[in-house]
Amino acid sequence: MRAGLLAQKLGMTRVFTEEGTHIPVTVLKVDHCQVVAVRTQETDGYTAVQLGVGTAKTKNVSKPQRGHFAKAKVEPKARLAEFRVEENELIPVGAEITADHFVVGQFVDVTGTTIGKGFAVPMKRWNFRGLRATHGVSISHRSHGSTGGRQDPGKTFKNKKMAGHMGVDRVTTLNLKVVQTDVERGLVLVEGAVPGHNGGWITVRDAVKKPLPKELPKPGKFRLADAAPAAEAKEGA
């Protein structure tokens, strides 16, 4: 089980194939997704990788979090998330996961928070049919009808589908195909729609219901923090 990554949803577009057909895709931005901490079986009781993405102003970060980021020698991050991994799939602290962590053609599971719809009626929230718009129904065509029985049971059961708050739910969309990756710009294009609004943060991981491709990099595709300055110094020499 590999680590996933945190990304920002930019919006939707389409990609044309060589045959001339187009594929609707969602563009995901991987903005300096770094390993902030590593959980081990000896110290924490489980094995996981904590990732941080985006940048946060220092004044908006609490003192404990500042110390947490300072220990990892990374800038304060806007979002944090943990991914359970096997012991041999751990990634060193400070490493930055790149967009080619996923390969073209593989399937991924995307988790995000859906767009809030406010207070919604049953027909919109639960796809109810509604009442007859004819004689004897008065002006209650979009109502949900009766909410309970008579004297028995004498109450409305919990979890009854009624009007209420809609959206802002944690939703996972399974088996989205990776269409294209761009390492330089940090973009991952997946086929189909992704839950959440444009600019929202989502998590992307390998699909649990699809076989992984053989060419998938393990424990992942990343670059170390000291690799870039060393390469620049070598070119300057």
Side-chain angles (χ1 to χ4, degrees):
M1 182 185 297
R2 302 191 316 153
L5 56 80
L6 279 163
Q8 189 176 26
K9 178 181 175 180
L10 297 185
M12 293 196 69
T13 182
R14 58 181 175 174
V15 174
F16 286 92
T17 63
E18 296 180 355
E19 293 77 14
T21 60
H22 73 90
I23 304 173
V25 296
T26 302
V27 183
L28 308 178
K29 173 72 173 178
V30 183
D31 184 18
H32 297 92
C33 185
Q34 284 184 290
V35 179
V36 177
V38 172
R39 312 299 186 191
T40 59
Q41 191 70 32
E42 294 77 13
T43 58
D44 304 287
Y46 65 100
T47 308
V49 173
Q50 187 185 63
L51 302 180
V53 69
T55 55
K57 294 182 179 180
T58 306
K59 67 185 180 92
N60 296 333
V61 179
S62 63
K63 286 187 177 180
Q65 285 184 322
R66 293 179 195 174
H68 184 61
F69 293 126
K71 182 180 178 181
K73 297 181 180 180
V74 299
E75 295 182 357
K77 299 295 183 180
R79 282 283 192 272
L80 293 175
E82 278 192 6
F83 294 90
R84 293 288 187 101
V85 297
E86 301 293 339
E87 192 171 354
N88 58 346
E89 302 286 347
L90 291 174
I91 301 176
V93 176
E96 181 179 340
I97 299 180
T98 54
D100 53 350
H101 182 73
F102 301 109
V103 297
V104 175
Q106 83 162 104
F107 292 90
V108 294
D109 296 340
V110 180
T111 303
T113 303
T114 58
I115 298 175
K117 302 291 185 180
F119 188 92
V121 296
M123 292 183 66
K124 179 179 178 66
R125 189 183 185 196
W126 302 110
N127 199 27
F128 278 10
R129 177 188 174 191
L131 305 183
R132 297 172 59 191
T134 57
H135 299 288
V137 188
S138 186
I139 313 177
S140 58
H141 315 299
R142 297 181 61 85
S143 66
H144 51 67
S146 60
T147 60
R150 300 157 77 171
Q151 186 171 349
D152 181 22
K155 66 176 181 180
T156 300
F157 289 106
K158 291 183 178 180
N159 301 321
K160 172 71 176 177
K161 293 182 178 179
M162 301 174 66
H165 184 266
M166 181 180 177
V168 197
D169 295 319
R170 180 182 172 88
V171 173
T172 300
T173 304
L174 303 177
N175 304 330
L176 296 181
K177 190 175 183 180
V178 178
V179 177
Q180 191 175 331
T181 59
D182 190 333
V183 181
E184 294 183 358
R185 294 190 291 176
L187 301 178
V188 178
L189 277 62
V190 296
E191 183 177 357
V194 169
H197 59 83
N198 294 344
W201 298 101
I202 62 171
T203 60
V204 188
R205 65 178 69 210
D206 298 331
V208 296
K209 295 184 178 180
K210 293 285 186 178
L212 298 179
K214 296 181 180 179
E215 64 273 16
L216 200 65
K218 294 185 178 181
K221 201 73 173 181
F222 58 89
R223 53 172 173 257
L224 298 176
D226 300 331
E232 292 177 0
K234 187 175 180 180
E235 291 178 0

